[in-house]
Amino acid sequence: MRKIIKYALLLLCIVMMKVNAQEKKTLPPDFNFLPSTEVDVPDSVWVFFRKGPLVNNQSGERMKIKPNVDGSFSFSPSFIQPVYWFEIYFMYYKSRQRAKPATYYAEPNDQLKVIYAKAADTGKGTIPKMKLTFSGKGAEKYKVVELLGKIKTDLSRSLNEDAKKEFGADSKTKDDKIGREGYYKSAELKVYLNSILEKVKGANRQSQDTLLKYKSLIGNNITNYLSYELSSSGYFSSWIDYLYRIGNSPNFRQTITDFYFLNRNSVIKEVSDPLVKYSKDYKFNKLLEIKYETGFRNKGKSLPYYKLYDAVKAVKNSGLRDILLSYLMYEPVFTNRITNTDSQDSCIRDALAVIKSPELLEPVQEQLLFFRGSQIPDFTFVDQEGKPTSLADLKGKVFMIDFYFYGCKGCIAYAKRFKEEIYPEFVHNPKFKVLSVSVDKKREHWISAMNSNLYNERDYINLSAGNLSWKHPFLKHFNRASFPFILLVDKNGRLISKIENESSPVIADFIRKSLNEKNSK
């Protein structure tokens, strides 16, 4: 009998050990979505989980999910990391629209049931905004994220209202107020600047109080992570930058930047949390902060690339520094105020020596493809009649090659800016050509795009990548699958620049200088 009891206890211990091991096993978060009774079921759902420290659209896992007949759908990422940033798009193909993405955070072992419903503020006749209600293991953090998001939204609304009260709603009243004699040293401006500072501080205190209230429910890791990821601190630098841009008075600019640097450390805190590598908003806002501060210190003068690069390189946290250096190289929004890119290639070479992580080096190494003066690969694209155009046909011409697809809003925006602000100077120059290349697989989409006159002009060389679409060897060479993708090329088929967020004067200057260069063998 004792032996039986002994074996039974042993068996029980083994079973309990297995149960405990199963409970401690780390699994990816799991999501089960169900529709409410009053929502249009989407045609499909797109989900994107970011993976690792990079913040580009290639670094992560994409899912395209077709809901079941009852509108339910489930998903889970295939990888494990301490915290996940993910977004969900509800797609409605009939209207060629998608609901605004919902952005959330998850942790390993989350087991979530999510009810999606039409938000109360959805306008009549529009695609629904989605209201998501979470329950299950890990659900508490979604309530916290919602509360922190509301704090930021309320702050943004309040700051906008204050700006309208202070400067009026149109540019003339802003100019009149800022240009008024003595305004830059007035008590009125001082009160306004202090109100920005105090409102940002107040929002941060409110966020910290919220996190403290829910800390016991969501745990230390996610509490610390959300304290900087969803912080309101970025509003301080962004609003001072806004004032800097609308105020042309040197005295006004000096006053507001002095105020900023005097108070920045009371609002902006440095982060050493190892989970910062998985953040998105914090890293984005940190680079914007550095961009703004570099501009402030430069006092409105011409801004060379190396000054911004050096400012990022000066970040003390080496892990964060390397992430930001890599991010700077591939995200054009951070370099859109650079007026001189002559030092960019040398900065890229320096970054390759500074950054240690192979994962972070990859996007920097990709920039080697865009070094000024590098030979672009040969290509062949066809026009409506099937006639091919290749690189050899452009020899002796400076040309811009612009890849787009039908329905691409960014493509339309760039095409409009180019036609209005840049092309008129070069339209009659026989040594300059524009190649407009559609990556649409469907010929009817290409034709519709040309007929719309939104993406190109009739006097462009209008071409198609055909069935290869974005898998065309030319685009694969540059690892491009997002559009618009635009290159400026000189008379000898060598790269002048990849065009991203450069200003119209900078682009025109690139073309002008290249047209004036003598041909080289």
Side-chain angles (χ1 to χ4, degrees), residues 431-450:
K431 294 293 184 182
F432 178 71
K433 298 295 179 183
V434 180
L435 277 65
S436 184
V437 185
S438 167
V439 296
D440 287 298
K441 282 189 176 182
K442 293 183 178 180
R443 181 180 172 85
E444 58 265 33
H445 286 171
W446 173 31
I447 302 302
S448 295
M450 285 194 293

Side-chain angles (χ1 to χ4, degrees), residues 146-335:
E146 183 178 336
L147 291 172
L148 296 179
K150 185 177 185 305
I151 291 170
K152 294 181 70 173
T153 299
D154 290 346
L155 173 63
S156 177
R157 184 182 298 113
S158 178
L159 292 173
N160 274 295
E161 289 172 355
D162 288 352
K164 287 180 181 178
K165 290 177 183 176
E166 183 69 16
F167 301 110
D170 59 72
S171 58
K172 187 178 185 307
T173 57
K174 291 185 180 75
D175 291 342
D176 290 346
K177 184 73 171 280
I178 292 170
R180 192 180 72 198
E181 185 177 355
Y183 177 69
Y184 72 91
K185 57 183 178 181
S186 67
E188 183 182 2
L189 177 59
K190 186 176 181 180
V191 168
Y192 174 62
L193 292 175
N194 275 309
S195 75
I196 296 174
L197 177 65
E198 292 307 317
K199 286 192 175 184
V200 174
K201 284 183 176 181
N204 278 342
R205 286 192 297 269
Q206 196 176 350
S207 295
Q208 291 304 314
D209 290 345
T210 301
L211 288 166
L212 186 62
K213 178 180 178 181
Y214 288 91
K215 184 176 181 178
S216 62
L217 295 175
I218 64 177
N220 289 336
N221 283 350
I222 199 69
T223 296
N224 292 336
Y225 177 84
L226 293 176
S227 71
Y228 54 82
E229 174 69 355
L230 295 180
S231 167
S232 298
S233 297
Y235 282 98
F236 186 52
S237 59
S238 65
W239 270 93
I240 297 300
D241 178 72
Y242 165 74
L243 295 174
Y244 191 89
R245 286 184 289 113
I246 66 171
N248 292 321
S249 162
N251 288 330
F252 175 79
R253 286 182 165 184
Q254 189 65 52
T255 297
I256 62 173
T257 54
D258 285 348
F259 178 83
Y260 174 80
F261 286 115
L262 179 66
N263 293 285
R264 77 173 296 282
N265 291 342
S266 67
V267 176
I268 298 167
K269 307 299 182 184
E270 299 304 320
V271 174
S272 58
D273 181 15
L275 292 184
V276 72
K277 68 182 290 186
Y278 303 106
S279 69
K280 178 184 180 288
D281 287 3
Y282 174 77
K283 289 182 291 196
F284 184 84
N285 289 328
K286 184 64 179 177
L287 263 181
L288 284 181
E289 170 200 312
I290 294 172
K291 179 179 88 168
Y292 298 152
E293 291 183 359
T294 304
F296 297 160
R297 290 189 174 100
N298 207 48
K299 299 184 183 299
K301 299 175 184 175
S302 176
L303 184 61
Y305 189 94
Y306 75 85
K307 284 198 174 183
L308 179 56
Y309 175 82
D310 287 348
V312 177
K313 190 178 174 182
V315 171
K316 293 179 181 179
N317 180 334
S318 61
L320 178 60
R321 176 203 65 198
D322 289 358
I323 293 171
L324 296 179
L325 284 175
S326 179
Y327 199 3
L328 175 69
M329 297 295 167
Y330 62 76
E331 178 51 68
V333 70
F334 302 121
T335 56

Side-chain angles (χ1 to χ4, degrees), residues 331-375:
E331 178 51 68
V333 70
F334 302 121
T335 56
N336 61 353
R337 297 183 190 173
I338 298 297
T339 54
N340 186 328
T341 59
D342 290 346
S343 57
Q344 183 171 7
D345 290 354
S346 63
C347 290
I348 292 171
R349 289 191 182 94
D350 185 71
L352 290 171
V354 171
I355 297 171
K356 304 305 178 187
S357 165
E359 187 176 18
L360 296 173
L361 278 172
E362 187 176 339
V364 182
Q365 289 167 335
E366 185 179 296
Q367 301 308 309
L368 297 173
L369 296 169
F370 301 103
F371 266 25
R372 189 170 302 173
S374 58
Q375 187 70 38

Side-chain angles (χ1 to χ4, degrees), residues 15-37:
V15 170
M16 290 303 295
M17 287 173 65
K18 287 184 176 180
V19 169
N20 288 335
Q22 186 68 27
E23 287 178 352
K24 292 179 180 179
K25 186 177 180 181
T26 301
L27 298 170
D30 185 70
F31 297 85
N32 182 26
F33 276 66
L34 299 168
S36 70
T37 55

Side-chain angles (χ1 to χ4, degrees), residues 382-388 443 446:
V382 297
D383 65 13
Q384 280 182 272
E385 284 70 44
K387 179 182 176 183
R443 181 180 172 85
W446 173 31

Side-chain angles (χ1 to χ4, degrees), residues 43 91-99 125-128:
D43 298 301
M91 307 297 293
Y92 296 84
Y93 296 131
K94 291 179 182 178
S95 59
R96 290 182 65 86
Q97 291 181 306
R98 62 187 181 188
T126 64
I127 57 173

